[in-house]
């Protein structure tokens, strides 16, 4: 039986196009689970409101409730100079005296393990104390995370805005994040960018990372991987593990820079050294596949176990992104024995904390029947939950369900609606799917030029199907000027990304060309 998330695509054999039923939903996107969904959603899924990071020389927020202002201000000075041990001692003194802002910063140090032993339990305890003492950033975090109170993003926004207006760079970043995700407010990438830039100017390292993410995905701005890399570098130079990891991912994927697995390894190891929980997964993957290093399963498992250890600690403190990563590790058997049941447990925990990627992963498991009975109804239900929670993959999967008409009545109009939302959220697969609708005239007038425009966007975002489709259009002169040279260029790009159809058509074309010259040679006297 055909896949419930399938669609037709163009396949070229011997110069003729035909339609083949091939998975366009979960199977096409399963690679995001293989590499943690790291490449596309590392920053977006990292609900790291707390401990956004402080850039050297940054202007730090003023204390909200300073009982011992002298110790608190001395601690901020020590933080600027990266003297974390002294900062921790001074913050503890001020926090014990009742300074709410000092409690917040002390919790941030425990989260990073800077000047104190890494402890998510103590981080959470100090932030809850800070919230109880009236710190706006802490109160917002408590409501956003649902710590001891029902999760309420609208209330979180109120407290974050109050703290942001008082000068907190961390709160500014949190406000931007809520606008980016559409949590408690209408999603607005332009407003998110405004707050991220404001946060970055105030010294928030994650502000720099989130700006890079918006440029990387083309959210509210023209997609610009080079610009994204610049922002990641600024964050990395200021000590951000996430920034270092994203630079590594960019080198791994060739986003904004030429692919370079050695540099990917170097940057991800740097990120791991400063405590990044996700970087060891990338390092492990490079070892597992032998990319830039000798293939070694034992080294890969070492790094996966390190990731598992770090993520388990973070998950215990309520970090939904860490829970999601734990699910991925169990799903793939990385650093642990493969267990679909444990993967589902971690995904459900992350989903209950609002992680949209975990919701999509649950849909993925129901789709395949891994650890749970196959269920088309639950597959679609979880995909919808993911979509409404902001997952581009979820939006794309819902659109594919409407396109295929399996499980729900077919509706190309609704498919286009969801694909358009997914494309606006940065999904390269959705860009390809929209082009496919225009290429085939499904629910819209057949327009090869429009199909080509969407496939160019998808190809620029790294979708190999879009690259392959562009090759077909150039080969046949549909919607673009006919150019065999450009057709081969796009097919080669698609093949380099692992596209099987592109490899097949290239092999057949080269074989045909070789056969022609061989026949001609035999005819010569």
């Amino acid at each position: 039986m055909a896949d419930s998330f399938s669609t037709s695509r163009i396949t070229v054999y011997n110069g003729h196009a035909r339609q083949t039923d091939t998975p366009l939903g979960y199977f096409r996107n399963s690679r995001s689970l293989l590499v943690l969904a790291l490449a596309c959603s590392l920053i977006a899924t990292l609900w790291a409101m707390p401990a956004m990071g402080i850039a050297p020389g940054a202007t730090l927020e003023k204390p909200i409730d300073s009982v011992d202002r002298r110790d608190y201000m001395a601690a901020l000075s020590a933080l600027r100079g990266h003297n974390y041990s002294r900062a921790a001692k001074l913050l503890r003194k001020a926090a014990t005296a009742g300074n709410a802002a000092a409690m917040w910063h002390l919790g941030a140090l425990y989260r990073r393990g800077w000047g104190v032993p890494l402890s998510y339990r103590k981080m959470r305890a100090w932030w809850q104390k800070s919230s109880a003492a009236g710190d706006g950033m802490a109160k917002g975090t408590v409501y956003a995370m649902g710590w001891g109170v029902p999760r309420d993003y609208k209330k979180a926004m109120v407290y974050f805005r109050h703290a942001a207006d008082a000068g907190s760079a961390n709160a500014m970043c949190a406000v931007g994040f809520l606008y980016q995700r559409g949590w408690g407010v209408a999603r607005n990438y332009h407003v998110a960018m405004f707050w991220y830039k404001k946060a970055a100017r105030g010294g928030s390292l994650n502000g720099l990372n989130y700006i890079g993410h918006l440029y990387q995905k083309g959210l509210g701005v023209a997609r610009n991987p080079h610009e994204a890399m610049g922002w990641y570098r600024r964050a990395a130079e200021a000590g951000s593990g996430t920034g270092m990891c994203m630079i590594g991912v960019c080198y791994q994927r060739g986003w904004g820079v030429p692919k370079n697995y050695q540099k990917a390894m170097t940057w991800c190891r740097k990120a791991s050294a400063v405590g990044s929980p996700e970087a060891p997964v990338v390092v492990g993957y490079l070892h597992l596949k032998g990319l830039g290093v000798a293939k070694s399963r034992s080294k890969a498992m070492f790094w996966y176990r390190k990731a598992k250890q770090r993520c388990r600690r973070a998950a215990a403190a309520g970090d939904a992104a860490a829970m999601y990563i734990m699910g991925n590790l169990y799903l793939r058997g990385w650093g642990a024995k493969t267990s679909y049941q444990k993967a589902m447990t971690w995904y459900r925990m992350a989903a209950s904390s609002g992680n949209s990627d975990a919701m999509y992963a649950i849909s993925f498991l129901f789709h395949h029947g891994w650890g749970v009975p196959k269920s088309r109804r639950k597959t679609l239900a979880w995909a919808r939950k993911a979509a409404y929670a902001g997952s581009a993959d979820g939006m794309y999967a819902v659109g594919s369900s409407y396109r295929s008409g399996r499980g729900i009545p077919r509706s190309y109009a609704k498919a286009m609606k969801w694909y358009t939302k997914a494309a606006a959220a940065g999904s390269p697969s959705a860009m390809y799917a929209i082009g496919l609708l225009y290429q085939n005239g499904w629910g819209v007038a057949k327009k090869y030029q429009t199909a080509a425009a969407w496939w160019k966007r998808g190809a620029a975002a790294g979708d190999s199907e879009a690259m392959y489709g562009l090759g077909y259009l150039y080969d046949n002169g549909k919607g673009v000027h006919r150019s065999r040279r450009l057709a081969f260029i796009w097919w080669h790009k698609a093949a380099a990304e692992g596209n099987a159809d592109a490899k097949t058509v290239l092999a057949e074309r080269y074989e045909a060309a070789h056969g022609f010259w061989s026949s001609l040679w035999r005819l010569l006297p």
Side-chain angles (χ1 to χ4, degrees):
M1 182 175 289
D3 183 81
S4 63
F5 280 81
S6 63
T7 191
S8 298
R9 71 173 177 221
I10 305 159
T11 308
V12 180
Y13 291 100
N14 299 320
H16 300 287
R18 76 181 190 193
Q19 298 296 326
T20 59
D21 197 44
T22 188
L24 186 62
Y26 290 104
F27 291 165
R28 288 197 66 224
N29 286 298
S30 61
R31 182 171 58 184
S32 65
L33 289 169
L34 300 182
V35 194
L36 232 201
L38 204 79
C40 299
S41 60
L42 170 64
I43 304 288
T45 61
L46 207 54
W47 174 241
M49 294 292 196
M52 291 295 184
I54 302 164
T59 301
L60 299 177
E61 49 265 33
K62 296 177 182 178
I64 296 172
D65 237 343
S66 181
V67 176
D68 194 334
R69 183 179 177 82
R70 186 186 63 187
D71 286 334
Y72 178 80
M73 296 307 292
L76 296 188
S77 178
L79 283 173
R80 290 192 191 95
H82 299 288
N83 189 341
Y84 298 122
S85 296
R86 174 172 166 74
K89 289 178 183 178
L90 291 167
L91 286 172
R92 187 183 302 281
K93 200 173 173 184
T96 303
N99 187 304
M103 298 172 193
W104 165 262
H105 285 298
L106 185 57
L109 291 183
Y110 274 111
R111 184 179 189 274
R112 297 296 187 187
W114 290 347
V116 291
L118 182 73
S119 174
Y120 289 102
R121 182 180 60 82
K122 290 184 178 179
M123 169 207 77
R124 181 170 173 172
W126 278 110
W127 281 342
Q128 285 178 316
K129 286 181 181 180
S130 179
S131 174
D135 184 272
M137 181 64 196
K139 278 186 173 290
T141 300
V142 165
Y143 276 108
M145 302 295 284
W147 288 346
V149 296
R151 180 178 281 108
D152 189 329
Y153 292 122
K154 288 184 178 180
K155 283 188 177 179
M157 176 62 89
V158 170
Y159 286 114
F160 286 145
R161 278 299 304 266
H162 177 73
D165 292 341
S168 167
N170 291 339
M172 295 171 195
C173 195
V175 171
F177 189 85
L178 291 181
Y179 273 110
Q180 180 187 332
R181 302 296 285 181
W183 290 348
V185 290
R187 177 178 288 148
N188 191 317
Y189 296 121
H190 298 288
V191 176
M193 178 67 87
F194 167 81
W195 282 103
Y196 288 152
K197 287 188 174 179
K198 200 170 181 179
R201 287 194 295 271
S204 167
L205 301 190
N206 265 15
L208 300 172
N209 285 320
Y210 284 128
I211 293 170
H213 174 69
L214 294 184
Y215 276 112
Q216 183 72 57
K217 302 286 283 182
L219 303 176
V221 292
R223 186 175 182 274
N224 190 331
H226 297 284
E227 183 76 10
M229 177 63 96
W231 288 98
Y232 294 146
R233 284 193 184 279
R234 285 180 61 182
E237 287 166 1
S240 167
T242 299
M244 295 173 195
C245 188
M246 283 309 301
I247 292 174
V249 171
C250 287
Y251 274 116
Q252 179 197 350
R253 303 293 300 155
W255 291 342
V257 289
K259 274 188 181 180
N260 188 318
Y261 296 123
Q262 287 83 6
K263 287 186 178 180
M265 177 67 81
T266 298
W267 278 104
C268 286
R269 290 193 68 146
K270 282 183 180 180
S272 179
V274 296
S276 166
E278 62 275 355
V281 182
V282 185
V283 176
Y285 184 79
L286 294 175
H287 279 294
L288 186 67
K289 298 297 181 181
L291 302 175
V293 292
K295 185 181 288 190
S296 172
R297 182 171 179 80
S298 62
K299 288 184 179 179
M301 292 305 114
F302 167 80
W303 284 99
Y304 288 143
R305 284 191 292 272
K306 181 175 284 193
K308 180 183 170 186
Q309 183 182 39
R310 290 183 181 179
C311 289
R312 190 181 292 277
R313 285 200 303 262
D319 190 325
M323 298 172 194
Y324 170 64
I325 295 173
M326 287 294 294
N328 287 340
L329 294 174
Y330 277 111
L331 178 70
R332 303 310 306 171
W334 289 348
K337 186 178 180 180
T338 299
S339 173
Y340 296 133
Q341 288 79 12
K342 287 184 179 180
M344 177 64 87
T345 298
W346 282 107
Y347 288 147
R348 285 190 182 276
M349 287 172 62
S352 67
S353 295
N355 188 286
S356 62
D357 291 309
M359 296 173 194
Y360 177 75
I362 293 172
S363 177
F364 184 93
L365 293 181
F366 275 116
H367 171 70
H368 288 285
W370 291 348
V372 290
K374 268 191 177 185
S375 172
R376 192 174 286 171
R377 180 180 63 82
K378 289 184 179 179
T379 295
L380 182 57
W382 278 102
R384 282 187 184 279
K385 284 184 181 181
Y388 285 118
S391 166
D393 283 340
M395 297 171 196
Y396 169 77
V398 173
S400 294
S401 292
Y402 278 115
R403 210 276 334 145
S404 67
R406 293 184 173 89
I408 51 176
R410 174 176 285 170
S411 171
Y412 291 125
K414 289 182 179 179
M416 178 65 85
K417 170 189 168 184
W418 282 103
Y419 284 150
T420 302
K421 284 185 176 183
S427 168
S429 298
M431 298 170 195
Y432 166 74
I434 293 172
L436 194 67
L437 294 181
Y438 278 108
Q439 190 267 337
N440 288 286
W442 292 336
V444 292
K446 187 178 286 190
K447 293 181 181 179
Y448 290 114
Q449 285 183 319
T450 305
W454 276 103
W455 284 351
K456 284 178 181 177
R457 284 184 61 183
D463 188 90
S464 67
E465 295 289 358
M467 298 172 192
Y468 175 76
L470 278 174
Y472 166 78
L473 294 182
Y474 276 112
D475 190 47
N476 291 275
K478 293 184 175 182
V480 292
H481 66 278
R482 190 172 188 181
S483 171
R484 291 286 171 82
R485 182 181 67 84
L486 289 176
F488 271 75
I489 286 174
W490 282 112
W491 285 334
H492 273 288
K493 286 185 177 182
E497 291 295 321
N499 187 283
D501 291 325
K503 292 177 181 179
T504 298
V505 72
L506 285 172
E508 290 177 348
R509 292 299 177 90
Y510 283 125
E511 176 65 26
H514 177 73
F516 168 77
W517 288 111
S518 297
S519 300
L520 182 63
W521 180 261
R522 285 195 295 271
L523 291 174
L524 292 176

